[in-house]
Amino acid sequence: MREISALEFRAKCSAIFDEVVQTGQAVTITKRGKPVAQLVPPVPRQNGYPQDALFGTVKIHGDIVEPTLETDIWEANERLSR
């Protein structure tokens, strides 16, 4: 891992960004010889939405439109019929 001073980072910021992307190596930024930050390459992300990974994993059992309980035992129906 490469270490550079904050002053050098400020002067060569854009070039250091490009270097990190190309090499995949993190760069530690120091101030007065002590590490204060790290510039790391981005985590690869697949295109699309995260929930796309779930596509095809759901199985439907039975009717998904009809109520699971008989409508005559619903409290709401009892109140309406009064």
Side-chain angles (χ1 to χ4, degrees):
M1 181 176 355
R2 181 174 162 206
E3 285 189 9
I4 62 168
S5 69
L7 185 64
E8 181 183 355
F9 178 75
R10 188 178 306 148
K12 302 176 182 177
C13 182
S14 184
I16 294 169
F17 283 149
D18 293 339
E19 175 188 325
V20 169
V21 169
Q22 288 173 355
T23 65
Q25 296 288 326
V27 173
T28 301
I29 303 163
T30 62
K31 196 168 188 179
R32 296 187 184 101
K34 295 182 182 178
V36 293
Q38 267 193 333
L39 180 62
V40 297
V43 176
R45 187 189 309 182
Q46 295 179 3
N47 293 338
Y49 297 101
Q51 59 268 34
D52 288 345
L54 299 173
F55 184 76
T57 62
V58 175
K59 294 180 182 171
I60 298 174
H61 298 280
D63 191 343
I64 62 171
V65 178
E66 291 296 317
T68 57
L69 301 173
E70 296 297 324
T71 57
D72 60 339
I73 64 171
W74 289 9
E75 290 179 23
N77 277 348
E78 290 177 15
R79 287 187 208 134
L80 289 175
S81 62
R82 290 183 193 172

